[in-house]
Amino acid sequence: MDESNERATRKMSAEAVSRKSSFVNSRILNRGSRNHPGLNGSDDAECRSNDSSLSVRDACQYDEPSCSEVPDDGGTRRARSVTSSRISLFFSKDGKEKTDMIRLLNQMKEETELGCPPYKLEKDWREIVKDWQSLSDKSVKQQEAIWEIVTTEHRYIKLLRYLSDLCFYLTSLQNSGFLKDVENRFVFSNFVQLCNVNYEYLWLPSIEPMLNHSRNSGDLLDLNFLVSGFQGIENWSRCYTIFHLAHSESLKHIQKRLKDNEQFRDFVTWAESQENLDRQKLIDTLSQPMQRLTRYNLLLKALLKVTADENEREMLRNLVENSEKATMQLNWEMNNNDLRARLGDIMRTIEGPDFVDLDELDKLFGLKLPLNLGDFMPLLHPRTPTHRTIFHKGDLRMQEGKKGSKIDVHCMIFTDMFLICRKIQGKKDRLKIVRPPIHLGKLIFHYFADQCGFYLLTLTDFHTAASLYSMHTSCPEETLRWTDMLKMALDEFKKIHRSSWAQKDQESPLDEYGRGLFVEPNALYAPRMMPPGYPQSNIPVVHRKCSSMDSQAVAAHAHLNSERV
């Protein structure tokens, strides 16, 4: 009963809707005919066609949503029209942004050129030097060698200045809302600093005065002017270290942004289209400072080869030596960077100390004192900062005192430090520092009687015993490996320490407090490091069955005192 009533209701509703639609359509058709009384023939047919299509659209406004039916074709056309308009708006917006960015770049380039016109250099040294036809072959070769220094430096500074301008352009574009996800410091590193340094410390005091002197007098290019620029190369070339250290990350960032940032690709394309790059790729020009210091050395050596005057040769030899020192300094820093990277890998495995709560320390004192293996080694002269290296690492069984329980530890030997850690359970390759780091200068060690381990005695600043550890190994060979590495690390630190304080105005802090480092002669299996003030004599292995750390330390002291007597 209910079902039949429901069907009847549906049928009546459909019929009512149909009658309503017909009524609306007829009203619209009559209205259309009244509005166009003069139309007939084909025009009349066209009008009827237009009115009928209009009636369908207008009927949609009057029909109930559940019963109205819009032709698929018209709806599809409307959807296509909306989508197409959105796409065109999207692309036109990007196109407008690109146009605005290029307009800003061209405007900034014009302003830069007006404010700082390019430096004009003669095409050849013969345009400056008078009576060059009467010069000997050796003099001509010398002038050509000097001119090569001038021209290469001129091109290099011109490139650095353009890259510095690009750095400024990029910053200005970012302030205007462009290229927000591009890191300027990664793209152009310290090119502004390189440009300023080369211009202020080499070109202005050295090359430009030499050119002006020859232009005014017509004399030969005087290589003595080069002294004022190259004698300080070891100091002003330090900015190249910053560039070298950041160059790898810079290239990675540029390559990544070239792939995922269309605006940055447009910026690079514009930069490469300018005459300053001479049709070179921007990413290639960003690598040119890599070999500049080495190039200076080669240019000076080439000039030395064609110079005959002995005074000038001596002066050039000093300049070559200074440039080589600058190159060696750069190589040393690059090697240290690799070393810092390795130490950083080790630091990432260490989660902090077990013997002190760093969070509580920060809460009480506002201090953050984590161990940073990448810091320079202490007790060296400030003018010779040196990084530590890792000599050996491995697993041992450690017992503190005689009654302490044995625990598994992971130990590391550095140039100046012995580090005792433990592995964190459930975390692969993660470590906690279980004891304070021990300086090798405050460490005494010797092997067990059965040679399957070694003792570690640490000292305080007051030359008293601080702690005694028994480090158990699996075999005598492993014991030998650990003790040999300890001796090797301490020997290296002694060498670095002596070199650091040699011929310096100040004395070593170790010497000031009487804490020299002494290495005992080799014994049966391993060397023994003795603390400052102990005689350098052959001391037998000290091994006492004592119940405390202090008693073993006292036994060692007693044996030494008996030998003194």
Side-chain angles (χ1 to χ4, degrees):
M1 182 68 179
D2 294 339
E3 184 177 357
S4 62
N5 289 338
E6 184 180 355
R7 289 179 180 175
T9 303
R10 290 180 182 175
K11 184 176 181 181
M12 291 176 62
S13 176
E15 290 176 355
V17 170
S18 178
R19 287 196 300 272
K20 186 176 180 180
S21 298
S22 301
F23 175 74
V24 171
N25 291 342
S26 62
R27 290 280 302 272
I28 293 174
L29 287 172
N30 291 335
R31 185 177 59 190
S33 63
R34 287 196 301 269
N35 292 337
H36 305 282
L39 293 178
N40 53 18
S42 61
D43 292 338
D44 193 11
E46 183 179 355
C47 180
R48 284 196 302 270
S49 174
N50 292 338
D51 284 338
S52 66
S53 64
L54 177 63
S55 66
V56 172
R57 291 194 297 272
D58 290 345
C60 295
Q61 300 174 8
Y62 294 99
D63 286 350
E64 296 178 8
S66 60
C67 302
S68 60
E69 294 183 1
V70 180
D72 292 339
D73 188 46
T76 305
R77 282 200 302 270
R78 176 176 294 183
R80 288 174 181 168
S81 176
V82 172
T83 304
S84 300
S85 63
R86 288 176 179 173
I87 292 175
S88 63
L89 284 173
F90 174 78
F91 281 105
S92 63
K93 180 181 178 181
D94 280 1
K96 185 177 184 300
E97 288 183 351
K98 177 180 177 181
T99 303
D100 292 343
M101 185 179 73
I102 299 301
R103 178 180 56 79
L104 287 174
L105 285 171
N106 290 328
Q107 180 181 347
M108 288 186 289
K109 183 174 182 293
E110 292 176 1
E111 294 174 354
T112 302
E113 291 177 348
L114 289 175
C116 185
Y119 182 87
K120 293 184 178 180
L121 181 67
E122 292 79 0
K123 294 182 179 180
D124 191 77
W125 61 272
R126 293 173 179 83
E127 299 179 17
I128 301 176
V129 177
K130 298 178 181 178
D131 301 328
W132 58 268
Q133 297 88 345
S134 60
L135 296 177
S136 63
D137 292 342
K138 287 187 176 180
S139 297
V140 170
K141 290 180 179 179
Q142 186 186 53
Q143 292 298 296
E144 290 177 347
I146 297 174
W147 189 248
E148 186 176 4
I149 295 176
V150 173
T151 54
T152 55
E153 187 64 19
H154 175 259
R155 287 195 300 269
Y156 181 61
I157 291 180
K158 180 182 176 182
L159 174 64
L160 292 179
R161 181 167 292 176
Y162 179 61
L163 295 176
S164 301
D165 292 341
L166 289 179
C167 180
F168 166 73
Y169 299 161
L170 180 56
T171 302
S172 299
L173 288 176
Q174 290 176 335
N175 293 335
S176 301
F178 300 97
L179 302 168
K180 286 293 188 178
D181 59 340
V182 177
E183 292 284 347
N184 199 339
R185 61 188 180 91
F186 283 141
V187 177
F188 294 107
S189 187
N190 64 329
F191 275 98
V192 175
Q193 184 185 20
L194 292 176
C195 181
N196 292 337
V197 163
N198 276 73
Y199 184 71
E200 294 177 6
Y201 290 95
L202 183 56
W203 185 269
L204 279 183
S206 177
I207 296 179
E208 188 169 353
M210 179 178 64
L211 293 173
N212 291 334
H213 172 75
S214 295
R215 286 169 182 153
N216 296 331
S217 63
D219 295 338
L220 298 176
L221 296 171
D222 189 356
L223 58 84
N224 288 286
F225 281 96
L226 299 177
V227 175
S228 56
F230 284 103
Q231 67 180 356
I233 188 173
E234 192 175 357
N235 294 324
W236 59 257
S237 65
R238 294 182 184 274
C239 59
Y240 281 83
T241 301
I242 301 174
F243 172 82
H244 278 71
L245 295 178
H247 186 61
S248 177
E249 290 297 323
S250 175
L251 291 183
K252 290 179 182 177
H253 182 73
I254 293 172
Q255 291 168 352
K256 181 179 179 181
R257 289 294 169 259
L258 283 173
K259 290 180 180 179
D260 60 20
N261 191 312
E262 185 176 357
Q263 277 191 356
F264 185 66
R265 289 197 296 270
D266 294 335
F267 174 81
V268 172
T269 301
W270 179 88
E272 293 175 349
S273 67
Q274 307 304 307
E275 66 278 3
N276 304 72
L277 289 187
D278 296 329
R279 297 187 297 276
Q280 298 182 74
K281 293 291 185 182
L282 178 63
I283 198 169
D284 295 334
T285 60
L286 294 175
S287 301
Q288 288 206 12
M290 293 289 290
Q291 303 297 328
R292 192 59 191 169
L293 290 185
T294 306
R295 184 73 184 275
Y296 288 138
N297 188 29
L298 296 176
L299 290 171
L300 291 173
K301 286 183 177 179
L303 180 57
L304 175 61
K305 188 181 294 185
V306 295
T307 301
D309 184 79
E310 189 57 37
N311 292 332
E312 292 180 345
R313 288 180 62 84
E314 182 63 26
M315 180 266 294
L316 286 173
R317 277 193 286 266
N318 291 334
L319 297 185
V320 169
E321 183 179 355
N322 290 341
S323 65
E324 287 178 346
K325 287 181 179 179
T327 305
M328 290 173 59
Q329 176 180 276
L330 175 61
N331 293 334
W332 181 81
E333 289 289 350
M334 293 301 295
N335 293 335
N336 274 344
N337 185 55
D338 297 336
L339 178 59
R340 284 193 295 268
R342 290 196 296 271
L343 293 174
D345 293 338
I346 297 173
M347 282 297 301
R348 279 186 284 274
T349 66
I350 300 175
E351 294 192 354
D354 259 352
F355 51 87
V356 64
D357 189 343
L358 292 183
D359 294 334
E360 188 70 14
L361 188 67
D362 185 21
K363 180 180 177 181
L364 294 175
F365 299 97
L367 296 175
K368 296 182 182 294
L369 301 173
L371 174 64
N372 188 356
L373 296 175
D375 288 344
F376 296 122
M377 291 188 290
L379 305 179
L380 301 181
H381 196 281
R383 295 180 183 177
T384 55
T386 307
H387 289 282
R388 59 182 55 86
T389 59
I390 185 166
F391 281 77
H392 187 61
K393 62 179 180 177
D395 298 331
L396 292 168
R397 295 274 290 171
M398 184 182 78
Q399 182 181 13
E400 188 168 5
K402 184 176 180 180
K403 294 183 178 180
S405 59
K406 294 181 181 179
I407 60 174
D408 293 325
V409 293
H410 184 82
C411 300
M412 305 181 196
I413 301 174
F414 297 93
T415 310
D416 64 330
M417 182 192 303
F418 188 82
L419 199 60
I420 305 174
C421 307
R422 68 170 177 85
K423 294 183 178 179
I424 301 177
Q425 189 175 4
K427 293 186 178 181
K428 185 179 180 181
D429 299 331
R430 305 297 294 176
L431 303 172
K432 279 277 192 179
I433 306 174
V434 295
R435 296 293 183 272
I438 306 168
H439 196 284
L440 293 190
K442 299 178 181 179
L443 189 66
I444 309 172
F445 64 91
H446 66 80
Y447 49 82
F448 295 166
D450 60 1
Q451 302 170 0
C452 286
F454 56 96
Y455 295 105
L456 284 181
L457 174 63
T458 65
L459 305 175
T460 67
D461 288 337
F462 304 98
H463 288 190
T464 61
S467 57
L468 178 65
Y469 305 111
S470 300
M471 315 301 289
H472 297 266
T473 62
S474 59
C475 60
E477 288 76 13
E478 187 179 357
T479 302
L480 177 62
R481 187 181 305 114
W482 278 97
T483 52
D484 278 350
M485 287 298 174
L486 281 168
K487 180 181 183 302
M488 189 182 301
L490 186 53
D491 287 344
E492 179 66 18
F493 180 76
K494 286 178 56 182
K495 179 181 176 182
I496 294 172
H497 180 263
R498 292 195 196 101
S499 175
S500 175
W501 292 95
Q503 299 178 352
K504 297 292 191 303
D505 298 335
Q506 298 172 270
E507 291 185 353
S508 164
L510 292 180
D511 297 334
E512 181 181 350
Y513 293 101
R515 295 199 307 266
L517 300 176
F518 300 97
V519 181
E520 285 301 304
N522 290 345
L524 178 63
Y525 250 89
R528 299 181 306 284
M529 306 302 124
M530 300 307 296
Y534 283 70
Q536 300 186 34
S537 59
N538 291 328
I539 305 174
V541 175
V542 178
H543 183 68
R544 298 284 186 271
K545 292 184 177 181
C546 304
S547 58
S548 67
M549 172 197 71
D550 292 335
S551 59
Q552 294 206 21
V554 170
H557 279 263
H559 185 86
L560 291 172
N561 291 331
S562 64
E563 281 202 351
R564 290 174 183 172
V565 176

